[in-house]
Amino acid sequence: MSSISEGTLVSTRIRLARNLEGYPFPSHLKDEKQAKEIIRLVSSGLNRLDDFRLYYMDGVTEWEADALIENHMISPALIEKKHYAAALINGDRNLSVMINEEDHLREQCIIKGLCLRRAYDKISDIDSKIGRTIKFAYDEQLGYLTACPTNLGTGLRASVMLFLPAITLNDNMREVVRSISRLGLTVRGVYGEGSGAEGYMYQVSNEVTLGVTEEEIISQVDEVARKICTLEEAERMRLKTGSARMGVMDKCMRAYGIATNCVVLSSEELISLAADIKLGACLGYLPIEHVSSIDDLVSRMQPHNINQSAGRQLSADERDVYRADYVSNHIKKLAEHK
């Protein structure tokens, strides 16, 4: 059976919100020239670091922009400000700096598993290097000044992506959300605020950034994520031994059967099937050891990632056929190479 941590603690994201001193917030920028000046200042501070590539939002194709969103490198809100916005993204696609979204800078690091401190160290290093050439808007009492008051102080948002099928199926998610909110944390969907929890995936993150230190935020989110992980493990045991056992097993096995034999497969159906296949692997019903590889598969099979893989823009029907064939072969190989 897959380890509970690998099956549940999917990924970590650390995000820092920063603004440049002497410039209005992005929502009040006077003209495109001023926005481009901010982009130039930020990019010049990073052009010697790592292997960052600068993407002007008014210079990327719709295909490229959607692929960056699918890979969580930029937000949909950044695209809406295409003549004012840009993004710096490293070659490994785990570090990105969005420029002129809600704040002048949204710096983020994404790492697989529960790695809050390592992710913070990485993005904090980038933040420090940017801060050597740019003066951030900062107040001695309030901390870093941000466009939204909820980001005042540290400007730090620490989040963990969790796979919680058993808590969801056992109808305990509402209570978990209530408990988390009492601690000053929040639960969102895969793509952040306002998005749904597709495939039993949830983001747990801090809401409070003012009056607390970065270490306190990271420690609290880490502790809560581990507690939820322990609860999920207990709920999975309930699924294996309770009255719903046969129904859950059937659900998982059917998902595997469809995924390995279908001819047409939409991205929405893949997310649902992959979640049940992951659950089956975690419960020991399916011989798949590294369930994190299923997350990678779902990411690769999103519409615009498929287009990039195919080397051309496929129609929706062509993508569904491509996806079905690729997923079938990949899932079979995962089961064969336990």
Side-chain angles (χ1 to χ4, degrees), residues 102-114:
E102 183 177 42
D103 293 288
H104 294 144
L105 298 179
R106 287 290 178 94
E107 311 161 18
Q108 72 166 12
C109 176
I110 300 176
I111 301 179
K112 287 185 179 181
L114 183 62

Side-chain angles (χ1 to χ4, degrees), residues 46 49-53 89-92:
L46 272 182
L49 303 177
D50 231 314
D51 55 337
F52 282 90
R53 175 183 169 187
I89 300 172
N90 74 335
D92 291 336

Side-chain angles (χ1 to χ4, degrees), residues 97-307:
V97 179
M98 292 188 290
I99 308 173
N100 293 332
E101 194 225 37
E102 183 177 42
D103 293 288
H104 294 144
L105 298 179
R106 287 290 178 94
E107 311 161 18
Q108 72 166 12
C109 176
I110 300 176
I111 301 179
K112 287 185 179 181
L114 183 62
C115 306
L116 285 162
R117 285 177 177 80
R118 183 154 65 94
Y120 175 74
D121 288 343
K122 279 181 172 290
I123 205 63
S124 181
D125 181 57
I126 296 298
D127 185 61
S128 296
K129 288 171 179 174
I130 295 174
R132 290 174 189 170
T133 57
I134 294 173
K135 191 170 184 179
F136 293 134
Y138 186 84
D139 181 86
E140 289 297 328
Q141 288 186 314
L142 297 175
Y144 290 101
L145 302 180
T146 55
C148 180
T150 59
N151 292 316
L152 273 174
T154 61
L156 170 64
R157 189 77 63 192
S159 63
V160 178
M161 187 75 74
L162 299 166
F163 175 61
L164 306 175
I167 291 176
T168 304
L169 293 173
N170 288 338
D171 202 25
N172 287 321
M173 198 62 217
R174 191 169 298 176
E175 180 56 37
V176 169
V177 171
R178 278 198 294 265
S179 298
I180 288 173
S181 65
R182 286 195 289 267
L183 296 172
L185 303 183
T186 187
V187 179
R188 297 184 172 93
V190 176
Y191 288 96
E193 190 170 358
S195 65
E198 300 176 341
Y200 311 127
M201 292 282 208
Y202 302 86
Q203 280 189 65
V204 174
S205 62
N206 63 298
E207 276 197 308
V208 178
T209 60
L210 182 63
V212 288
T213 66
E214 289 86 349
E215 177 57 33
E216 287 170 338
I217 292 171
I218 291 169
S219 294
Q220 184 184 40
V221 174
D222 184 90
E223 180 182 1
V224 169
R226 292 179 188 277
K227 286 182 177 178
I228 295 174
C229 183
T230 300
L231 176 60
E232 172 67 17
E233 183 174 16
E235 292 298 321
R236 288 181 192 177
M237 288 304 298
R238 283 184 59 199
L239 286 182
K240 287 194 70 173
T241 59
S243 59
R245 177 177 178 272
M246 295 305 295
V248 172
M249 183 186 295
D250 182 66
K251 182 181 177 71
C252 297
M253 300 304 288
R254 282 176 182 269
Y256 179 84
I258 294 171
T260 54
N261 290 281
C262 62
V263 176
V264 177
L265 182 62
S266 69
S267 57
E268 292 80 9
E269 188 177 15
L270 171 59
I271 290 170
S272 177
L273 293 174
D276 291 331
I277 291 169
K278 279 183 65 179
L279 176 59
C282 291
L283 295 177
Y285 300 149
L286 292 169
I288 297 174
E289 185 174 2
H290 300 294
V291 296
S292 61
S293 58
I294 299 175
D295 297 323
D296 296 335
L297 173 64
V298 172
S299 177
R300 288 199 301 274
M301 290 297 100
Q302 292 305 298
H304 298 279
N305 287 337
I306 286 180
N307 286 339

Side-chain angles (χ1 to χ4, degrees), residues 20 73 91 118 195 236 245 257 315 317 327 335:
L20 278 62
M73 289 292 96
R118 183 154 65 94
S195 65
R236 288 181 192 177
R245 177 177 178 272
S315 69
D317 289 342
V327 168

